[in-house]
Amino acid sequence: MVTPVAKRQAVDHIRGVLALSERRACALVGLARRVARYISTRADDVVLRQRLRELAGQRRRFGYRRLSYLLAREGLTPNHKKLFRLYQEEGLKVRHRGGRKRALGTRSPMTVPQEPGQRWSLDFVSDALICGRRFRILAVIDDFSRENLALVADTSLSGGRVARELTTLVERYGKPLMIVSDNGTEFTSQAILKWADGMQVEWHYIAPGKPQQNGFVESFNGRLRDECLNETLFTSLTHARQILADWREDYNTVRPHSQLNGRTPDQVARQGSRGHAPKTLAIPSTPSHEKRELSF
């Protein structure tokens, strides 16, 4: 018993069971009589508590700070200390899953792009269907806006398939100045090398065994696994693709991002692209090496 509330409950219990006086019960517990008689005048915050429980039930992997962004959108703006107190009293603390090893030593901070479309990051995430069949997910994000550009799920994703998906993204979003990835066989294949050379896109490979050098997409992968993959049992590849598409839409347009001051990646991408002229991309044709113009 360390809190006044717990001690008041103990005093009431002793008086009810042992039929002792208030003075004697307070002396046994070590509680002042004026504290035992105190009646709180604090508001119950029923509406705030109920909405906090509802949001925490919908977003089971959100902490109280991220939930505060969602509450603010609805006009509920409690003090952060009060929100944390209610968050603890309602027992909504997020259980941390197993930890991982951390890199030791000093690290140089990664240079942050200054506008959308300057740098993309790529990586693979793996999961399994309920039948045990494994599948992989290609994740592509924009490092400036943190926008998830694609989540491509399939049982096999070769270098050629990655190149085709990137071509589709270029047609939709425009050509980036740089792409960052690890040294996986898909990213170092001849298909990717030809694609990067033909598109004239600089491809940067991180040092082997240094995933922190690709920290933007690694952070995204953690959110994807924690909030989507670990929360869902996939019955089929079609089901997985639908769930990933819905989660991607929610991540880009609804989910508040702490590194973006509570804004969504879609908001940052639209603000960053405001006022920019359409981009023109020259894609060489394989048989004739002629260029065709595409506007975005």
Side-chain angles (χ1 to χ4, degrees), residues 29 105 169 250 260:
V29 174
L169 293 179
D250 179 82
L260 303 177

Side-chain angles (χ1 to χ4, degrees), residues 69-131:
Y69 293 132
L70 299 179
L71 290 172
R73 293 178 183 177
E74 301 177 5
L76 300 174
T77 55
N79 179 276
H80 69 279
K81 292 182 288 185
K82 177 180 180 179
L83 180 62
F84 181 66
R85 175 177 58 81
L86 298 179
Y87 182 79
Q88 287 186 312
E89 291 177 358
E90 295 297 325
L92 302 177
K93 183 178 179 180
V94 178
R95 287 188 58 187
H96 292 285
R97 295 190 171 108
R100 60 181 179 86
K101 293 182 179 179
R102 301 287 180 177
L104 301 178
T106 59
R107 307 182 205 170
S108 299
M110 181 179 290
T111 303
V112 180
Q114 300 303 310
E115 63 180 38
Q118 288 187 341
R119 189 177 70 203
W120 295 354
S121 293
L122 280 65
D123 201 6
F124 283 108
V125 184
S126 62
D127 206 342
L129 306 176
I130 58 176
C131 64

Side-chain angles (χ1 to χ4, degrees), residues 118 126 141 153 158 165 191 230-231 252 263 271:
Q118 288 187 341
S126 62
I141 68 166
S158 63
E165 295 295 340
N230 289 347
E231 296 288 306
N252 286 336
R263 295 178 295 172
Q271 291 174 0

Side-chain angles (χ1 to χ4, degrees), residues 41 96 99 107 114 131 152-153 191 223 247 253 261 269 275 287 293:
T41 59
H96 292 285
R107 307 182 205 170
Q114 300 303 310
C131 64
V152 182
R223 304 283 75 75
W247 186 86
T253 61
N261 297 322
E293 298 293 326

Side-chain angles (χ1 to χ4, degrees), residues 15-187:
R15 295 187 64 188
V17 174
L18 302 180
L20 297 180
S21 65
E22 180 188 85
R23 185 187 302 275
R24 181 59 176 162
C26 288
L28 291 174
V29 174
L31 182 68
R33 294 177 66 188
R34 62 181 178 81
V35 178
R37 297 174 179 177
Y38 174 76
I39 300 177
S40 176
T41 59
R42 178 186 294 168
D44 292 334
D45 300 306
V46 177
V47 176
L48 179 59
R49 287 176 182 270
Q50 180 179 357
R51 189 55 185 153
L52 185 61
R53 287 195 301 268
E54 292 174 354
L55 290 175
Q58 298 169 4
R59 311 279 186 169
R60 300 198 305 163
R61 304 304 299 175
F62 278 20
Y64 82 98
R65 293 185 184 276
R66 203 178 301 277
L67 290 173
S68 69
Y69 293 132
L70 299 179
L71 290 172
R73 293 178 183 177
E74 301 177 5
L76 300 174
T77 55
N79 179 276
H80 69 279
K81 292 182 288 185
K82 177 180 180 179
L83 180 62
F84 181 66
R85 175 177 58 81
L86 298 179
Y87 182 79
Q88 287 186 312
E89 291 177 358
E90 295 297 325
L92 302 177
K93 183 178 179 180
V94 178
R95 287 188 58 187
H96 292 285
R97 295 190 171 108
R100 60 181 179 86
K101 293 182 179 179
R102 301 287 180 177
L104 301 178
T106 59
R107 307 182 205 170
S108 299
M110 181 179 290
T111 303
V112 180
Q114 300 303 310
E115 63 180 38
Q118 288 187 341
R119 189 177 70 203
W120 295 354
S121 293
L122 280 65
D123 201 6
F124 283 108
V125 184
S126 62
D127 206 342
L129 306 176
I130 58 176
C131 64
R133 188 180 185 185
R134 306 291 299 181
F135 67 94
R136 307 181 74 194
I137 304 168
L138 171 65
V140 185
I141 68 166
D142 185 293
D143 287 356
F144 177 82
S145 66
R146 310 299 205 275
E147 182 180 10
N148 177 218
L149 305 180
L151 285 176
V152 182
D154 212 331
T155 54
S156 176
L157 291 169
S158 63
R161 173 68 180 279
V162 173
R164 293 194 297 271
E165 295 295 340
L166 288 177
T167 300
T168 302
L169 293 179
V170 168
E171 294 174 353
R172 183 180 305 167
Y173 298 102
K175 183 176 67 173
L177 301 179
M178 177 185 290
I179 293 179
V180 182
S181 74
D182 58 23
N183 293 269
T185 55
E186 298 84 2
F187 299 139

